[in-house]
């Protein structure tokens, strides 16, 4: 049996990394083989591209999307697909929706270009479940600031981050079967509870543990 592919998406400070850790630990404690990974990155080559994409630039939006998809292609080919094929559940902090939200909705990349790059790089791979952690921009920026400044996306203004948030919500609305919007304003445990219950729908045995 192949594994399941779960992605976490959302703006900065929404709690993706924290909840991805909890989710991977819970799946593992439920007896499932689990791989937790992130984008851009996950493999040595993709992590090298991450450095370029996040800490160099600014890039032309198409070039930036190509960097994200080059890293993703490497990650999918060398890590995600082999893991799924081996029956491993993959929990990934950000995936292709981030490119549509940040480079597409945020920076104005034509959505048709995103589609072409996605077709080329992913060859039909789609997450089984995407958890979109939704948080007002100001709250996310405050959380990220408290944690300490990081990459150049965090330096972009409120308008940019509002377009990204709207983009994630539009993506979720267009694909309600795949995407679940999680209200990330709540405390850590409440957010985790919502994630656990939604994920449990992927497998009857998990529903009992949720
Ligand atoms: N990017 C892109 O442009 N295109 C792409 O295709 C891809 C990515 C894949 C990756 O940076 C950047 O790359 C990202 C988009 C761009 N840029 N931004 N911004 P990253 O992976 O290094 O950063 P991030 O994804 O934005 O992660 P983050 O800012 O660390 O946010 P998070 O993972 O969602 O949150 P967290 O680390 O779990 O939590 C942040 C803080 O909030 C931390 O102190 C927590 O303890 C706290 N927290 C979390 N949840 C709560 C709740 N519920 N209540 C209170 N406090 C909380």
């Amino acid at each position: 049996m192949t594994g399941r592919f779960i992605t976490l998406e959302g703006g900065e400070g929404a709690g993706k990394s924290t909840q991805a850790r909890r989710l991977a630990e819970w799946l593992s404690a439920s007896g499932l083989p689990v791989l937790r990974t992130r984008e851009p990155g996950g493999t040595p080559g993709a992590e090298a591209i991450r450095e370029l994409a996040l800490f160099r630039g600014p890039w032309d939006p198409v070039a930036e999307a190509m960097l994200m998809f080059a890293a993703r292609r490497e990650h999918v080919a060398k890590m995600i697909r082999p893991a799924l094929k081996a029956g491993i559940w993959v929990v990934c902090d950000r995936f292709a929706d981030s490119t549509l939200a940040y480079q597409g909705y945020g920076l104005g990349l034509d959505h048709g270009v995103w589609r072409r790059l996605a077709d080329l790089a992913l060859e039909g791979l789609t997450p089984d479940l995407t958890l979109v952690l939704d948080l007002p921009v100001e709250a996310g920026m405050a959380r990220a600031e408290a944690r300490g400044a990081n990459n150049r996306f965090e330096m972009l203004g409120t308008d940019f981050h509002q377009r990204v948030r709207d983009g994630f919500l539009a993506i979720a609305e267009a694909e309600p079967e795949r995407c679940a919007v999680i209200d990330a304003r709540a405390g850590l445990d409440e957010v985790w509870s919502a994630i656990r219950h939604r994920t449990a729908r992927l497998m009857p045995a998990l529903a009992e543990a949720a």
Side-chain angles (χ1 to χ4, degrees):
M1 187 186 160
T2 58
R4 300 297 178 90
F5 184 26
I6 304 171
T7 58
L8 289 97
E9 297 280 11
E12 62 170 329
K16 299 173 299 299
S17 311
T18 309
Q19 299 295 346
R21 269 194 300 277
R22 284 195 176 192
L23 182 56
E25 281 163 15
W26 179 67
L27 292 170
S28 186
S30 306
L32 294 165
V34 182
L35 169 73
R36 179 167 62 85
T37 185
R38 69 165 184 183
E39 289 213 342
T43 64
E47 289 288 336
I49 298 173
R50 178 187 175 93
E51 285 301 306
L52 274 178
L54 267 53
F55 300 103
R56 305 290 175 87
W59 299 93
D60 163 80
V62 177
E64 193 165 285
M66 286 173 150
L67 284 174
M68 298 297 178
F69 272 108
R72 186 162 298 129
R73 171 73 189 192
E74 190 66 11
H75 191 203
V76 164
K78 296 199 176 149
M79 186 175 268
I80 296 178
R81 269 196 208 280
L84 292 172
K85 210 170 156 197
I88 296 167
W89 286 49
V90 177
V91 174
C92 191
D93 189 343
R94 297 194 180 280
F95 194 62
D97 295 320
S98 276
T99 313
L100 187 53
Y102 280 81
Q103 282 66 49
Y105 286 91
L107 295 176
L109 175 82
D110 184 271
H111 292 196
V113 172
W114 176 87
R115 183 72 266 162
R116 275 151 60 202
L117 293 173
D119 288 346
L120 192 67
L122 305 182
E123 298 180 88
L125 178 70
T126 314
D128 295 293
L129 171 64
T130 296
L131 300 155
V132 177
L133 274 61
D134 179 56
L135 187 67
V137 168
E138 290 77 10
M141 288 174 104
R143 281 188 196 169
E145 214 167 285
R147 183 213 47 199
N150 189 0
N151 61 62
R152 69 187 167 80
F153 290 97
E154 294 178 3
M155 314 301 170
L156 297 175
T158 311
D159 289 356
F160 170 80
H161 288 287
Q162 187 60 52
R163 289 197 298 278
V164 170
R165 181 189 185 196
D166 294 343
F168 278 123
L169 292 175
I171 292 166
E173 196 180 355
E175 287 187 71
E177 291 293 309
R178 170 174 72 87
C179 301
V181 177
I182 307 286
D183 185 348
R185 289 172 302 179
L188 282 172
D189 290 341
E190 218 175 304
V191 174
W192 164 235
S193 172
I195 287 177
R196 201 172 64 238
H197 283 96
R198 182 58 187 83
T199 305
R201 288 200 222 157
L202 289 179
M203 199 176 168
L206 286 175
E208 286 160 29

